[in-house]
Amino acid sequence: MDSILEKLGFGSKWHFWIHGCLCKARSSVLVNGSPTSEFEIFKGLRQGDPLSLFLSTFAMEGLHAITSKAEDMGLIKGATFGRDSMNVSHLMYADDVIFLGEWSWLNAQFFLSLRIGNGEFTRFWKDIWCGDKSLSLQFTCIFLLDSDRDCLVANRIPLNDWASVLRRNPRGGAELIQFEALQAVIRDVVLSNKCDSWIWSLDVSGGFSFASTRHFVDDQTLEIGLDATRWNKCIPIKVNVFIWRLALNKLPSRLNMK
């Protein structure tokens, strides 16, 4: 906070005031209507303090500056919108922040896969629909021979005469081996009347769900133990949060705030 205040041009007196509010304030707790003895608040402000809105604006300004600098350095890339190609990397409102990024197949390929229906919306060579790599990478020699490298699955699966779409017939060696391997890979592919669709691999139904995403994040971040880590739907959310913080010993008690 001191660094942000200094960057924004606030003087030493402002630094002293804000530091005093954050680090030297005292408070007490009402127990059955009677206040306890005062104790120091070593971190942050009291709940509902009007100064918190003022300081949160400074914190957002610092986060905005860091994010913009990272974008200028090429570490992150925002999403592009509209006819003017406006680039947006983050949105802030009150205490909420949304980070936006450019779509990357590398970020999604672990959770999404293509389900082929009629093959009219999936590129035969360039989309990843058969295996963990595109057919253009698996069978590069045949891909380079194809006269239409942006063709769809529907254009190639029913094809009986590949000579009509290749610039020349495959020669011996690598070309012939790859051509025979390609035929073996697509031989059992059957098209249907349904449209091509995406499958969310984290859910057994194949459809996206927040629950499956939450379970995946929990499994990656939470420690494995015998205690349940999911919210109990039978009790209010505030009770869930209180019990969770109590189990982690994160309640703002006098001992924890020292």
Side-chain angles (χ1 to χ4, degrees):
M1 184 60 67
D2 282 339
S3 300
I4 296 176
L5 290 174
E6 184 178 355
K7 292 288 185 181
L8 294 176
F10 286 88
S12 59
K13 183 176 290 189
W14 268 94
H15 284 244
F16 178 78
W17 287 344
I18 299 300
H19 184 270
C21 292
L22 291 177
C23 302
K24 298 182 179 180
R26 302 181 66 86
S27 184
S28 62
V29 179
L30 289 176
V31 179
N32 295 328
S34 300
T36 63
S37 57
E38 291 187 348
F39 56 89
E40 291 188 22
I41 302 177
F42 292 93
K43 296 181 179 179
L45 300 169
R46 291 179 297 179
Q47 184 175 4
D49 194 314
L51 187 60
S52 61
L53 300 177
F54 179 70
L55 297 182
S56 66
T57 303
F58 288 158
M60 293 170 63
E61 183 67 26
L63 179 59
H64 166 72
I66 293 174
T67 306
S68 299
K69 183 176 181 180
E71 189 174 9
D72 294 338
M73 296 173 62
L75 300 178
I76 61 174
K77 189 174 183 180
T80 303
F81 299 94
R83 64 180 64 181
D84 297 328
S85 298
M86 179 180 62
N87 187 268
V88 179
S89 60
H90 57 286
L91 298 173
M92 297 181 177
Y93 178 76
D95 58 348
D96 296 324
V97 181
I98 300 176
F99 289 95
L100 305 174
E102 186 181 49
W103 162 263
S104 172
W105 173 251
L106 294 176
N107 295 333
Q109 64 178 338
F110 300 105
F111 311 117
L112 293 173
S113 59
L114 273 171
R115 175 186 289 168
I116 298 300
N118 54 22
E120 295 180 356
F121 299 94
T122 304
R123 294 178 298 177
F124 180 81
W125 290 110
K126 297 182 178 180
D127 288 333
I128 302 177
W129 64 276
C130 188
D132 57 357
K133 294 189 297 184
S134 65
L135 294 182
S136 63
L137 296 178
Q138 297 183 55
F139 309 100
T140 306
C141 295
I142 310 304
F143 167 68
L144 295 176
L145 290 177
D146 200 318
S147 58
D148 183 7
R149 297 172 186 174
D150 291 316
C151 61
L152 303 175
V153 172
N155 303 136
R156 292 293 179 267
I157 293 301
L159 193 63
N160 294 321
D161 183 15
W162 275 76
S164 61
V165 297
L166 299 181
R167 293 187 291 106
R168 58 172 174 79
N169 291 328
R171 296 169 181 168
E175 290 184 358
L176 185 58
I177 292 175
Q178 287 193 12
F179 182 73
E180 293 175 350
L182 173 63
Q183 296 300 310
V185 167
I186 65 175
R187 182 178 298 121
D188 296 328
V189 177
V190 178
L191 301 181
S192 66
N193 294 327
K194 298 181 179 180
C195 294
D196 301 340
S197 59
W198 290 99
I199 300 175
W200 184 250
S201 61
L202 299 181
D203 197 306
V204 294
S205 66
F208 173 79
S209 68
F210 285 101
S212 63
T213 308
R214 185 197 65 190
H215 282 287
F216 175 79
V217 173
D218 284 354
D219 292 340
Q220 299 297 316
T221 57
L222 297 179
E223 296 182 1
I224 299 176
L226 298 177
D227 299 330
T229 58
R230 312 287 189 254
W231 295 137
N232 189 333
K233 297 181 180 180
C234 298
I235 59 178
I237 185 64
K238 290 185 177 181
V239 179
N240 274 293
V241 174
F242 179 83
I243 296 175
W244 171 63
R245 296 180 68 182
L246 177 64
L248 297 177
N249 194 26
K250 297 296 184 180
L251 289 176
S253 62
R254 183 174 182 179
L255 181 63
N256 287 339
M257 295 179 68
K258 288 185 178 180

